[in-house]
Amino acid sequence: MAENQLTPNQIEYLSWGVMAEILERIDGDVVIADLQPGGGQYDCLSLVTSSPEILLMLNRNGTSAKSGDEIVHDIWERAAINDEQEAALYILSELGLYVDEYAEEKNKELIKTCKRIAYWVRSRSKGLGKAQCCWLDGNYGVGPANNLLSQVKIPDSWKALDAPYNGSDWSALIYAMTLPDEKTGDKVVGLVNMKTGEAVNADGSPWLEWSKPIPPMRRIVPTDKTIGGAPKTVIQLPNIEPHPDGIAAFRKVANFDGYKVLGEDLAPIAHAIIEQWYEDKTLPTDKDQLKGTLFYLWRQSRFIDGFPDDDDVPFLQALVAAIEG
């Protein structure tokens, strides 16, 4: 990976941030949709009308935005180097999309939801999460995403909502917040209603954490690139300080190079050990694997705001105890 290449998580985060900025300005009655044209080759966070007419697609598998026959490129790099607002204005201008001075008020709740999704993707999920629509709309199938919906208890009131656009149903309004899982592929940890702004846990209970205030923004991930003559800047990410006890645990592997010791097996070993501990609170005995897991999490902490937090500390301390034992 190039030094400043964006990760899939950063692109996912930026896509929701850019979409929020676009919704503050775009003309017309629109709803958010996930589209996968090209046989699933593309992953597009999109805006459509009720008819449905595709008004805008932001491709997360690439770097372009498309409206009709017009295309602009390098949108994620632009959002990262300049900022999301500037990228949104560039997209609207270059694609010839009309703006409405009252759009921000009209789309107020949807804008807020987009910003909360962006924040969850980048920080609350520790840089691992993805927001997935519960309605599939691609070349290989159209309909409810049963692999996601089957994992959760859905409020009855949500099932009574009108479809946001023709050819869909209520599930097109619902986004699942998912984490990678070896058994299920994508584990749903919560659902968000794009129409009402409500959020529930997988068991159907209110997701109280969802509505908490979003922390101030700070700038990290430096880069020496510029676009359009703009001065050098960096990606904007939420400012959450890591837990000091977690940082203390990472000092135990300050002189350990997990990449050198475990090579390409580092990430798979770390994920397996993490899953094992959270399932039954046991750890393997191989010291290099234990150190490698702690090293892997230490490296993760450099790119994920707020990691480690209170919930992470017991696992990190268990790793340290096993390494020292």
Side-chain angles (χ1 to χ4, degrees), residues 273-315:
I273 290 176
I274 292 167
E275 182 178 356
Q276 176 183 333
W277 191 84
Y278 278 99
E279 282 187 357
D280 57 22
K281 296 297 187 292
T282 63
L283 291 170
T285 57
D286 188 294
K287 294 295 180 71
D288 281 345
Q289 290 187 359
L290 294 170
K291 290 179 181 178
T293 301
L294 192 57
F295 172 85
Y296 178 79
L297 293 172
W298 174 38
R299 296 292 297 178
Q300 262 196 328
S301 73
R302 297 179 59 187
F303 304 101
I304 302 172
D305 287 337
F307 178 75
D309 62 17
D310 290 344
D311 294 335
D312 304 308
V313 169
F315 174 54

Side-chain angles (χ1 to χ4, degrees), residues 42-218:
Y42 306 105
D43 171 25
C44 299
L45 186 62
S46 308
L47 289 178
V48 303
T49 65
S50 60
S51 45
E53 174 190 359
I54 300 173
L55 195 61
L56 173 66
M57 293 192 293
L58 307 178
N59 182 21
R60 293 178 291 208
N61 277 356
T63 64
S64 63
K66 185 175 188 288
S67 180
D69 294 328
E70 300 296 325
I71 299 176
V72 294
H73 298 280
D74 300 323
I75 59 171
W76 307 130
E77 186 178 19
R78 191 175 197 103
I81 294 173
N82 295 344
D83 62 38
E84 294 152 15
Q85 182 185 92
E86 194 277 341
L89 291 170
Y90 174 75
I91 290 167
L92 291 167
S93 174
E94 293 299 309
L95 297 182
L97 293 167
Y98 293 106
V99 298
D100 178 3
E101 62 180 309
Y102 301 108
E104 183 175 4
E105 180 60 29
K106 179 177 62 178
N107 298 324
K108 180 172 61 175
E109 291 304 318
L110 186 54
I111 292 166
K112 187 186 301 182
T113 300
C114 287
K115 291 181 177 180
R116 292 194 185 284
I117 290 176
Y119 173 65
W120 182 86
V121 164
R122 188 67 186 122
S123 286
R124 287 297 183 200
S125 74
K126 300 179 175 61
L128 301 173
K130 184 176 177 63
Q132 300 190 54
C133 186
C134 291
W135 176 265
L136 300 174
D137 195 342
N139 287 5
Y140 293 110
V142 176
N146 292 322
N147 63 314
L148 302 177
L149 294 171
S150 63
Q151 299 182 43
V152 296
K153 183 177 181 181
I154 304 155
D156 291 336
S157 60
W158 290 15
K159 299 177 184 179
L161 293 172
D162 292 334
Y165 52 89
N166 292 338
S168 68
D169 66 17
W170 60 269
S171 61
L173 290 166
I174 311 305
Y175 272 73
M177 304 299 111
T178 65
L179 294 174
D181 184 87
E182 290 186 2
K183 295 179 180 178
T184 63
D186 294 299
K187 180 180 179 180
V188 179
V189 299
L191 296 178
V192 177
N193 189 318
M194 304 299 283
K195 184 176 181 64
T196 67
E198 298 171 291
V200 297
N201 296 303
D203 63 4
S205 62
W207 191 352
L208 301 179
E209 189 77 17
W210 185 260
S211 58
K212 287 187 176 181
I214 297 175
M217 305 296 280
R218 71 182 170 106

